[in-house]
Amino acid sequence: MFTTRPTLQGTHGMAATTHWLASAAAMAVLEDDGNAFDAAVAAAFTLHVVEPHLNGPAGEVPVVLAPAGAAPRVLCGQGPAPAGASIAHYTSLGLDLVPGTGPLAAAVPGAFDAWLLLLRDHGTKSLADVLKYAIGYAEHGHPAVERIGATVETVRELFETEWTTSAELYLPGGRSPAPGALLKNHALAATWRRLLSEARAAVPSGATRSERREGEIAAARRVWREGFIAEELAAFAARPTMDTSGERHPGTLTGDDLAGYTAHYEEPVTRTWNGWTVAKAGPWSQGPALLQQLALLDDDFGTPGSGTEYASAEYVHTLVEGTKLAMADREAWYGDADGADVPLPTLLSAGYNAGRRALIDPAHASYELRPGRPDGRTPRLPGLATGPARRGTTAAGAGEPTVARDGATRGDTCHLDIVDRWGNMVSATPSGGWLQSNPVVPALGFPLGTRLQMTWLEPGLPNSLTPGRRPRTTLTPSLALRDGVPVLAFGTPGGDQQDQWSLHFLLAVALRARFRGGYDLQGAIDAPNWHTESFPSSFYPRLMDPGSLVLESRFDDTVISGLRRRGHRVTVADPWSEGRLCAVARDPETGVLSAAANPRMMQGYAVGR
């Protein structure tokens, strides 16, 4: 099969990320005898620098990790709503939605602490070892990818008139970063150098190497939560700032919120389909939606003679209709709530999904939002999610920051997957803290995030804005096992599209392995992909587009016409426009490692040997 690139194979280590410089940084750590977790942290901090339009240090990250010989775990780097972020506060300001930008939308930053916790517990390198790549690119510059300048242009007027600290960094001399021009962030480099200096000073001079390593990481976490970084973030959050409401508002984030947060580990949510067990983050993410999509499929789905042969109109129709059902359940049931509020065992059960599967009409596309009734419970959807005023195309594009037709700006996400020669494997989806989310804090070189925009200002919902609770996020890395052994880590940016593109990728890998043998990662990434917006968007202003289906033009004409006959409102998009997937794999019998990355937008890259 022709692919845009080869599926890389080797035995030492593999890294795949959404930017080639982050992949190279990860590989440099692997070459220096670091493990997959060291490499992941180095790649993550590099992504803050080279993809500032997609993520930043004050954003968030879920991580699915599998240490060699151990069961997978989830590391949660999603911060909660601040103590002052009550529905009453926001509605008293005349708001019916959390703004899509500005400090009112800022959750407690979670990414930094999560990365340092991963480094402490599973890495081997010092903090300086993994930060040096990010510091180097921030201090000496990196060639800007085209999308950075394009994103800055969408918010030029805002930067020049309101967010002037951002203009100083991203519009020097009134010009946005040109493709290939060196983009520097001296403030960020200075932030990390000061962090390292204070962390070193906090460790006694007679400490052993191990004691020094752990002591410096602990001190750095304190500096973030309670030191100069926390002081700057809290002070900037308190400044009235223009947001998507058209008004200037201060945020609710305080120093106490920052001081009280720590990242933590959780058990993953899992489900098995045809021998593949997929591990995901819990219902504070959209991760279980992929598991629900799998649960809706018959065991022979996609196989020859099944009537749903791979990439046929029947195949795509079934997946799209299953996506609508899973996403309707996501809206009705998912959130950062206890087990009584999120009936996850029932949502993933065979009996429940047999009933849901019967709702899929093989001849007609549904235009309805149809959440289920797990355990006989009545679903409750947000009023703003279902009214006719909220129907309309959510954005002018997907997969990169864009300006929607409603004028709002949106950010996207990064992704990384890494596996090493010892069998350690990690998948992570860093996001938030985009350059277009909040003004740059000039003393730090990065802005706050906007994840609270995913909550509702309506009481009594699983994802209602609630102080101390995490917003239900779209971030959703994946790790798959065979016979209890981790073999595949994968994921993609793309907001609500992430578990649509990831599902299509996983099925392509699984079906190829079943009938031809081996894992054709690059072929699965290259395969024509699709997405639907037939459910409420997770991003401000929370629109939905019933019956929509966007297909890459590389789909066969008979597939496109077959989907239109079923009533899908098909948009034929550019041939390489759907998805930014990355993946790594490990064959547990031979130890052979594999990696692949998305060719779309010519930015993601896999490296390894």
Side-chain angles (χ1 to χ4, degrees):
M1 174 183 175
F2 171 79
T3 56
T4 57
R5 307 165 180 175
T7 295
L8 303 185
Q9 291 190 303
T11 56
H12 181 82
M14 293 282 164
T17 82
T18 47
H19 195 291
W20 61 84
L21 291 179
S23 299
M27 196 64 208
V29 173
L30 293 174
E31 293 284 13
D32 194 34
D33 288 329
N35 65 22
F37 308 115
D38 297 313
V41 178
F45 279 94
T46 301
L47 286 170
H48 296 158
V49 179
V50 300
E51 291 192 329
H53 56 311
L54 303 178
N55 78 139
E60 46 275 327
V61 61
V63 182
V64 185
L65 61 143
R73 301 186 77 189
V74 169
L75 173 57
C76 175
Q78 174 59 62
S86 67
I87 290 176
H89 174 67
Y90 285 67
T91 56
S92 73
L93 300 174
L95 300 171
D96 61 356
L97 290 172
V98 177
T101 61
L104 271 180
V108 181
F112 179 89
D113 198 62
W115 289 122
L116 265 64
L117 193 62
L118 181 70
L119 182 67
R120 183 196 74 181
D121 295 343
H122 299 284
T124 63
K125 294 293 187 179
S126 71
L127 184 57
D129 287 336
V130 296
L131 273 178
K132 65 183 179 183
Y133 306 96
I135 292 172
Y137 286 125
E139 193 165 62
H140 303 297
H142 60 93
V145 295
E146 180 180 358
R147 296 280 173 162
I148 296 177
T151 301
V152 172
E153 284 300 314
T154 67
V155 287
R156 170 183 283 275
E157 182 179 355
L158 178 67
F159 279 15
E160 291 178 334
T161 60
E162 296 283 347
W163 296 8
T164 55
T165 58
S166 296
E168 292 170 6
L169 178 58
Y170 291 110
L171 283 169
R175 297 181 180 180
S176 58
L182 279 182
L183 177 59
K184 301 178 182 180
N185 190 338
H186 292 297
L188 180 58
T191 295
W192 295 148
R193 289 196 182 281
R194 180 176 174 183
L195 176 86
L196 289 173
S197 176
E198 293 191 11
R200 291 189 188 104
V203 181
S205 58
T208 66
R209 181 182 181 278
S210 176
E211 290 170 340
R212 175 162 293 280
R213 176 182 175 275
E214 292 195 12
E216 288 179 356
I217 293 172
R221 295 174 72 196
R222 287 194 300 272
V223 170
W224 177 274
R225 292 198 301 263
E226 302 171 20
F228 78 95
I229 295 177
E231 292 171 359
E232 292 288 348
L233 290 175
F236 226 74
R239 292 178 50 174
T241 300
M242 180 64 70
D243 58 40
T244 50
S245 73
E247 303 288 339
R248 296 181 185 90
H249 295 114
T252 60
L253 182 70
T254 68
D256 288 343
D257 295 313
L258 291 159
Y261 175 77
T262 57
H264 65 278
Y265 295 99
E266 300 177 351
E267 293 301 310
V269 180
T270 62
R271 201 180 196 287
T272 300
W273 181 79
N274 271 341
W276 291 82
T277 300
V278 182
K280 302 287 283 185
W284 53 269
S285 75
Q286 73 172 351
L290 186 142
L291 307 182
Q292 285 195 251
Q293 289 169 286
L294 286 173
L296 289 166
L297 302 178
D298 295 320
D299 286 346
D300 65 349
F301 179 78
T303 63
S306 65
T308 53
E309 287 80 3
Y310 176 76
S312 65
E314 294 79 9
Y315 178 93
V316 177
H317 172 77
T318 302
L319 293 180
V320 172
E321 294 305 293
T323 293
K324 295 173 186 177
L325 294 173
M327 292 301 188
D329 275 348
R330 182 194 73 168
E331 203 58 62
W333 301 110
Y334 289 19
D336 184 18
D338 60 36
D341 292 328
V342 184
L344 204 54
T346 301
L347 291 173
L348 297 177
S349 67
Y352 176 80
N353 283 284
R356 298 287 278 163
R357 190 181 305 121
L359 297 176
I360 298 176
D361 184 337
H364 297 95
S366 171
Y367 281 45
E368 300 177 60
L369 192 65
R370 300 181 291 176
R373 299 173 59 90
D375 304 320
R377 296 168 57 180
T378 300
R380 183 178 172 191
L381 292 168
L384 286 177
T386 54
R390 290 295 167 195
R391 299 194 172 210
T393 305
T394 59
E400 281 287 324
T402 185
V403 174
R405 296 173 191 172
D406 48 69
T409 59
R410 297 189 180 88
D412 199 359
T413 302
C414 305
H415 188 79
L416 63 89
D417 298 300
I418 302 174
V419 62
D420 63 31
R421 64 188 184 274
W422 300 288
N424 299 302
M425 187 176 289
V426 59
S427 180
T429 310
S431 187
W434 313 296
L435 65 85
Q436 65 277 27
S437 63
N438 262 293
V440 167
V441 181
L444 301 179
F446 59 85
L448 288 164
T450 56
R451 195 57 58 175
L452 291 187
Q453 67 178 291
M454 296 186 168
T455 61
W456 294 103
L457 299 181
E458 181 179 340
L461 302 170
N463 194 29
S464 297
L465 177 65
T466 307
R469 277 192 175 182
R470 294 167 289 185
R472 192 266 300 151
T473 177
T474 56
L475 307 177
T476 175
S478 302
L479 195 144
L481 303 84
R482 298 280 291 175
D483 300 320
V485 179
V487 297
L488 177 65
F490 61 100
T492 177
D496 295 308
Q497 284 77 53
Q498 289 179 35
D499 277 326
Q500 301 181 57
W501 295 333
S502 290
L503 174 70
H504 189 55
F505 164 81
L506 175 63
L507 292 174
V509 171
L511 290 167
R512 166 67 185 245
R514 180 174 178 181
F515 293 103
R516 300 184 188 177
Y519 300 153
D520 182 15
L521 304 186
Q522 194 64 53
I525 289 174
D526 287 356
N529 219 322
W530 52 269
H531 83 269
T532 179
E533 296 171 354
S534 196
F535 49 86
S537 169
S538 297
F539 296 89
Y540 180 93
R542 313 303 296 270
L543 302 179
M544 62 183 294
D545 194 8
S548 65
L549 177 57
V550 180
L551 295 165
E552 288 184 336
S553 62
R554 291 181 295 126
F555 274 96
D556 189 273
D557 287 343
T558 60
V559 174
I560 295 172
S561 61
L563 291 165
R564 283 180 168 148
R565 280 197 307 273
R566 288 169 171 82
H568 296 279
R569 294 176 47 248
V570 173
T571 298
V572 179
D574 291 340
W576 297 91
S577 56
E578 291 288 308
R580 291 182 68 206
L581 282 147
C582 300
V584 299
R586 179 178 183 272
D587 186 328
E589 295 184 3
T590 64
V592 170
L593 312 177
S594 305
N598 178 53
R600 297 163 178 86
M601 302 171 192
M602 297 183 291
Q603 191 168 316
Y605 239 85
V607 296
R609 70 169 179 86

